[in-house]
Amino acid sequence: MQYGYFDEKNKEYLITKPNTPAPWANYLGSPEYGAIISGNAGGYSFVKSGANGRHIRYHFNSKDEPGRYIYVRDLENGDYWSGSWQPVGKDLEQYKSVCHHGTGYTNIVAEYDSIRTETLYYVPMNKTYEVWRMKVRNDGSKPRKLALFGFVEFTNSNNYEQDTVNLQYTLFTSRTYYKNNKILQVINENTPEEQSWRFFGAAGAEVTGYDGDRDTFLGDYRGYGNPASVENGQCANSLNYNTNSCGVLQINVDLQPGEEKEVAFLLGQYEEQGASEVLSHYKDLAVVDKELEELKTFWHSKLNRFQVQTPSDNLNNMINTWNAYQCFITFIWSRAASFQYCGLRNGLGYRDTVQDIQGIIHLDHEMALERLRLMISAQVSNGGGLPLVKFDHNPGHEGTPDDPEYVRETGHPHYRADDALWLFPTVIKYLNESGNWDFTDEVIPYSDRGEATVYEHLRQALQFSLDRMGAHGMPVGLHADWNDCLRLGAKGESLFVAFQLYMAFKVFIDIAQNKNKPEDAAWAQTLLEELDENIQKHAWEKDQFVRGFTEDNYTIGSWENDEAKIWLNPQSWAVLSGAARPDQAKLAMDKVYENLRTDYGTMLFYPPFRKYGLPVALMALFNASTKENAGIFSQPQGWLILAETMIGNGDRAFEYFLDCSPASMNDKAEIRKLEPYVHGQFVESKDSPYQGRAHVHWLTGTASTVMVSLVEGIMGIQPQFDGLRINPCVPSDWKTFSMVREFRGKKLNIQVENQNGVEKGVSRLIINGKEIQGNLIPVAEMKDDNQVQVFMG
Ligand code: IFM
């Protein structure tokens, strides 16, 4: 079933049926002032931290309530509804709505009983409050008398856990006041050093009633769908004292036929004076449209740095808008706040963050650089990455997983084997995109002590693995490799890390050669060859690579096992790293296709663990076909697509893209459940009774892996040190497609012709009328604006 559609031109997703199978969300603002909102206006807001700066309530794991509600009541006939379908939930035969989720804003248009409302929610650029602007229009033929009730439920503590569970305390610390068109809520009023203020105000109209006491507003034994004050048509002018607080502002509106009026509600963590200043900024509501334009310009100009027109709308929508936007959201928010992440993680996961950076490099390498520096400064001087980089990370002064204090603060007593190795693909992408190779000489502190150039940091990351090799001459798996549920320990070996290390050596050799350091390149080359030999000797089994060896030398991912016989990542990473010989690549990738592929994506391995489990295979804790236990983990789908493009299989790569693209499920939303415009963390696979159901929306490393596979793999846009390589790998039935790409300050309009229907291979390349050899456009050939013709086949 379909609940909405993509509007590519406006870069929006439109929800046309509000009863979506899960809350379909959007992000507003930034972590400085963050807000998450569903198509039914459910969600929450916070300043700086989802866990410690929360000012409005959201009931996790429940019914997408409460939210930013504006109720509308007909003062003559007593009927009432809401600007979003929920919470009142009118009969959808009579209530029509379209929710526009856009880049940094959500606009919900609703029509009911000849009244049209349009409620726009956004956080203005660089501001720390949010705006809800409602336009209300009388589309009927008789005058109407309406009341609007803006509603927000405040938390009683900035800390959301305290607000939820410590009721014997938090309930008795909050009070509300009404002053000049706004409700002010204060927590810990008598303790100036602990005081915290929030406000909910109205602009553009006079308030005719208010409630600051949630239970008075809702009334006894009622819910958000039928609040007493709305039903009464008049707020009770209540204020809370030792009960829950809320902000409700009533505005009465008379409308002649055809007439439209607008009001705005403002919300944030400000005291009286700051709140009044915010309100006065909206004296003239024309400022709202201006602020909306600023937001669109900000986001669209970023996204427009790479745009494609291909025969696939699905791909166009994902590359041009939604996958790219999700990459930015994931990059900015990390795993801080969603409808599943409650904001409790007090920092950035090392591997997740370094991977997230990859998703935005092609669109904003400067933004990427800042985060990359931070992550390099979170590398310990022994070469490993800190598992958790605290929000108040203090380079040069941090503890390590070996220090009790770091462990107490973060709860992470172990290194992961893969963390620092993610720097290699990310750093090389940044260097090739920006051309800023001086970065390799930049001196950055280690997290604990000392400092080094970026180049030396990379060498130290190799050293971390070299210091931790196992009996087969491959890196050990430690507490986890990419897979959080695979605990191979200090002696068991991980093929995932082996392939990462393989790739890392190659990147390092390139950089060393580029920096004219032949001894370093030779050092890495020798080690690469040794590793290669060990992989070939120990890890290749007839037609697949194994996943690892445990401390007692049990082979994970062997065809001889009963469970988890074949794994996806070792096959795709063997190709990505270059370790697989061409015949191995073909055999292994064919085996994946035949054994792991489903209609909804490709499983992490098969069959699921049911017997073999702890202490190595922690994923056995999950139900079969779920998450790391043979679920369709979404992040590896990107590696799979990229690997297929590397071996020239455009048809298959595209098939894999369609399998995992959220947009492919737009008309099967009742199966997928999650938003059809963003990736989730995983999809249930074939041993689940709910095959195809996706979970954990928005904040997932999938955004970046799939994005990279689309941009570099399928579209074949591959920045290099001295230019831009164009090497698409596409379905054979794509006869023509085009791209617009910014690269090193130049614009390239690229037209690709594939009249012979090949999957890969550029035969001619012409830039500004001049034919060049090969498929690399040297920077020197680029003008400010370029016409590029590419012929495949
Ligand atoms: O790689 C991890 C990631 O860091 C967190 N989510 C699960 C992934 C796979 O285990």
Side-chain angles (χ1 to χ4, degrees):
M1 192 187 288
Q2 188 169 333
Y3 291 80
Y5 63 94
F6 292 87
D7 174 352
E8 207 203 321
K9 185 163 157 280
N10 291 305
K11 299 193 183 300
E12 290 181 345
Y13 185 86
L14 275 59
I15 302 172
T16 48
K17 290 194 188 115
N19 53 347
T20 51
W24 285 4
N26 195 12
Y27 282 80
L28 314 177
S30 73
E32 284 302 299
Y33 185 100
I36 174 162
I37 184 166
S38 74
N40 277 307
Y44 59 93
S45 311
F46 59 84
V47 172
K48 287 200 164 70
S49 160
N52 298 314
R54 181 86 60 92
H55 53 273
I56 71 172
R57 262 198 199 134
Y58 183 72
H59 302 153
F60 282 91
N61 204 10
S62 184
K63 295 178 2 196
D64 189 26
E65 312 180 314
R68 303 169 181 83
Y69 298 143
I70 305 180
Y71 299 89
V72 184
R73 183 183 192 274
D74 187 316
L75 290 174
E76 288 165 328
N77 67 18
D79 195 9
Y80 61 90
W81 60 100
S82 36
S84 43
W85 176 56
Q86 291 297 317
V88 176
K90 283 290 185 189
D91 186 336
L92 289 173
E93 285 299 310
Q94 280 97 47
Y95 185 98
K96 301 289 168 210
S97 82
V98 181
C99 166
H100 300 240
H101 278 322
T103 47
Y105 66 90
T106 285
N107 192 21
I108 303 176
V109 181
E111 286 170 359
Y112 178 78
D113 191 18
S114 301
I115 298 296
R116 180 185 189 275
T117 55
E118 191 179 325
T119 318
L120 171 70
Y121 299 92
Y122 69 99
V123 175
M125 289 293 302
N126 305 318
K127 295 287 193 275
T128 50
Y129 58 83
E130 66 189 76
V131 182
W132 319 350
R133 192 258 326 258
M134 179 178 260
K135 288 183 179 176
V136 51
R137 190 174 77 200
N138 179 358
D139 282 345
S141 52
K142 58 179 180 86
R144 302 288 289 268
K145 285 186 180 308
L146 305 174
L148 310 180
F149 300 80
F151 163 85
V152 69
E153 181 167 332
F154 292 120
T155 56
N156 287 331
S157 166
N158 283 352
N159 180 287
Y160 110 91
E161 269 188 313
Q162 287 291 307
D163 177 57
T164 313
V165 300
N166 195 1
L167 304 185
Q168 63 80 29
Y169 167 70
T170 53
L171 258 179
F172 312 110
T173 57
S174 129
R175 291 192 70 173
T176 40
Y177 295 96
Y178 175 76
K179 212 165 177 184
N180 299 334
N181 256 28
K182 55 193 171 302
I183 292 275
L184 291 153
Q185 186 218 25
V186 58
I187 297 171
N188 303 125
E189 184 172 25
N190 306 324
T191 322
E193 56 285 2
E194 291 291 313
Q195 255 180 37
S196 166
W197 288 86
R198 295 86 172 275
F199 82 99
F200 183 61
E206 278 311 305
V207 167
T208 51
Y210 60 85
D211 277 311
D213 182 62
R214 186 199 64 178
D215 299 343
T216 306
F217 172 70
L218 292 181
D220 291 341
Y221 301 100
R222 287 163 175 271
Y224 302 104
N226 58 348
S229 294
V230 176
E231 214 160 271
N232 295 338
Q234 182 57 52
C235 280
N237 293 353
S238 65
L239 293 171
N240 78 310
Y241 193 89
N242 298 339
T243 49
N244 286 294
S245 47
C246 67
V248 178
L249 298 172
Q250 176 177 352
I251 291 168
N252 290 351
V253 181
D254 292 348
L255 289 173
Q256 294 303 313
E259 193 182 9
E260 182 175 78
K261 287 190 176 155
E262 57 183 341
V263 296
F265 295 98
L266 291 311
L267 168 68
Q269 293 193 19
Y270 286 86
E271 307 181 27
E272 155 74 12
Q273 195 191 332
S276 298
E277 281 165 21
V278 171
L279 255 58
S280 68
H281 183 64
Y282 295 90
K283 238 191 253 144
D284 177 358
L285 286 178
V287 74
V288 169
D289 287 324
K290 209 171 126 258
E291 289 178 340
L292 178 64
E293 272 321 299
E294 275 170 13
L295 271 177
K296 287 187 186 172
T297 305
F298 172 81
W299 280 112
H300 293 191
S301 61
K302 277 192 195 305
L303 303 184
N304 285 342
R305 291 180 190 151
F306 183 57
Q307 294 285 294
V308 302
Q309 271 315 313
T310 75
S312 165
D313 287 344
N314 184 333
L315 188 83
N316 300 344
N317 283 317
M318 294 313 291
I319 294 192
N320 294 344
T321 305
W322 285 98
N323 197 161
Y325 181 56
Q326 187 182 6
C327 283
F328 277 109
I329 295 297
T330 308
F331 173 89
I332 293 169
W333 293 68
S334 188
R335 307 298 178 268
S338 71
F339 287 157
Q340 279 83 43
Y341 289 107
C342 309
L344 283 177
R345 192 198 263 188
N346 177 29
L348 306 170
Y350 201 94
R351 83 162 72 92
D352 293 350
T353 307
V354 180
Q355 292 174 83
D356 291 347
I357 296 171
Q358 293 185 21
I360 65 152
I361 286 179
H362 68 296
L363 297 173
D364 193 340
H365 61 78
E366 279 161 18
M367 198 168 174
L369 175 60
E370 203 189 316
R371 185 63 62 81
L372 191 50
R373 284 192 179 112
L374 172 75
M375 298 314 289
I376 293 175
S377 81
Q379 185 188 23
V380 182
S381 54
N382 67 7
L386 282 181
L388 191 81
V389 186
K390 291 179 291 163
F391 289 130
D392 59 358
H393 177 65
N394 188 6
H397 303 279
E398 291 293 345
T400 72
D402 301 321
D403 296 326
E405 198 179 326
Y406 174 83
V407 173
R408 201 169 40 250
E409 277 184 68
T410 64
H412 288 285
H414 302 283
Y415 287 101
R416 275 84 175 132
D418 62 320
D419 277 340
L421 291 176
W422 290 107
L423 290 173
F424 291 86
T426 305
V427 167
I428 193 70
K429 271 189 216 316
Y430 167 74
L431 296 175
N432 285 335
E433 180 70 39
S434 65
N436 172 22
W437 276 61
D438 290 348
F439 179 57
T440 56
D441 294 324
E442 190 170 315
V443 176
I444 296 183
Y446 285 106
S447 66
D448 52 341
R449 61 190 152 85
E451 58 181 26
T453 63
V454 168
Y455 178 74
E456 289 158 348
H457 273 272
L458 292 177
R459 187 172 168 142
Q460 197 58 1
L462 297 175
Q463 197 59 48
F464 181 84
S465 298
L466 294 170
D467 290 343
R468 291 164 182 79
M469 301 294 271
H472 300 90
M474 284 181 253
V476 298
L478 300 181
H479 196 67
D481 53 20
W482 166 83
N483 193 320
D484 273 332
C485 296
L486 196 58
R487 197 152 292 170
L488 292 161
K491 294 204 186 112
E493 292 153 281
S494 157
L495 255 292
F496 192 98
V497 185
F499 291 129
Q500 270 194 302
L501 183 60
Y502 198 103
M503 177 188 277
F505 280 135
K506 286 181 38 186
V507 169
F508 185 79
I509 291 165
D510 273 358
I511 299 179
Q513 280 167 346
N514 190 289
K515 294 179 73 63
N516 202 15
K517 289 182 184 285
E519 309 80 39
D520 288 3
W523 167 79
Q525 182 64 36
T526 308
L527 291 163
L528 172 64
E529 283 163 19
E530 274 171 30
L531 180 63
D532 183 74
E533 208 179 304
N534 290 329
I535 291 173
Q536 290 298 330
K537 194 156 142 206
H538 302 294
W540 175 249
E541 258 189 2
K542 202 167 71 103
D543 55 1
Q544 68 176 58
F545 287 96
V546 304
R547 181 62 175 82
F549 306 101
T550 65
E551 302 203 332
D552 52 6
N553 208 19
Y554 172 72
T555 304
I556 304 266
S558 165
W559 195 237
E560 290 174 5
N561 299 347
D562 294 338
E563 302 178 332
K565 291 155 83 81
I566 164 145
W567 290 60
L568 167 59
N569 286 337
Q571 322 314 324
S572 57
W573 269 80
V575 176
L576 297 181
S577 64
R581 309 289 184 258
D583 56 328
Q584 290 175 327
K586 180 168 181 353
L587 285 166
M589 297 303 279
D590 284 352
K591 190 149 185 191
V592 165
Y593 189 78
E594 280 147 24
N595 291 273
L596 296 179
R597 182 169 176 250
T598 77
D599 289 347
Y600 305 105
T602 300
M603 296 178 287
L604 205 50
F605 58 81
Y606 199 75
F609 283 113
R610 289 192 165 93
K611 291 182 277 190
Y612 186 85
L614 307 185
V616 173
L618 269 67
M619 58 283 278
L621 295 166
F622 295 125
N623 293 328
S625 288
T626 301
K627 282 178 72 96
E628 283 95 338
N629 195 10
I632 299 164
F633 224 87
S634 303
Q635 195 181 10
Q637 311 300 310
W639 298 325
L640 177 61
I641 296 167
L642 190 60
E644 287 291 1
T645 64
M646 285 176 70
I647 55 175
N649 294 333
D651 283 323
R652 198 185 271 179
F654 191 67
E655 209 176 337
Y656 281 135
F657 162 72
L658 291 178
D659 290 347
C660 76
S661 170
S664 304
M665 296 296 282
N666 196 39
D667 57 355
K668 298 185 204 77
E670 76 286 3
I671 298 175
R672 184 173 197 267
K673 309 276 188 206
L674 284 200
E675 296 91 336
Y677 45 91
V678 286
H679 291 280
Q681 187 200 60
F682 78 98
V683 177
E684 291 171 61
S685 66
K686 67 182 190 191
D687 289 6
S688 158
Y690 299 99
Q691 187 178 183
R693 184 167 60 180
H695 297 270
V696 192
H697 67 167
W698 276 97
L699 304 182
T700 156
T702 314
S704 68
T705 57
V706 176
M707 192 75 206
V708 168
S709 77
L710 303 184
V711 176
E712 295 186 12
I714 293 183
M715 304 315 299
I717 298 294
Q718 301 162 4
Q720 307 289 307
F721 170 61
D722 41 7
L724 190 66
R725 190 177 302 289
I726 304 189
N727 196 13
C729 183
V730 297
S732 44
D733 59 1
W734 283 16
K735 298 287 184 243
T736 173
F737 55 98
S738 63
M739 307 178 249
V740 178
R741 172 71 147 92
E742 280 181 28
F743 180 66
R744 309 240 180 119
K746 319 280 186 201
K747 186 173 176 198
L748 294 109
N749 306 290
I750 305 163
Q751 181 67 43
V752 186
E753 298 299 326
N754 182 25
Q755 296 308 325
N756 296 332
V758 299
E759 293 172 73
K760 194 170 186 178
V762 167
S763 52
R764 282 183 78 199
L765 203 154
I766 299 170
I767 174 161
N768 302 322
K770 177 178 169 193
E771 181 147 359
I772 54 171
Q773 291 305 307
N775 59 4
L776 180 83
I777 308 177
V779 179
E781 292 289 347
M782 295 178 192
K783 302 184 198 160
D784 287 345
D785 203 348
N786 303 277
Q787 302 304 323
V788 180
Q789 292 159 275
V790 178
F791 298 90
M792 295 177 67

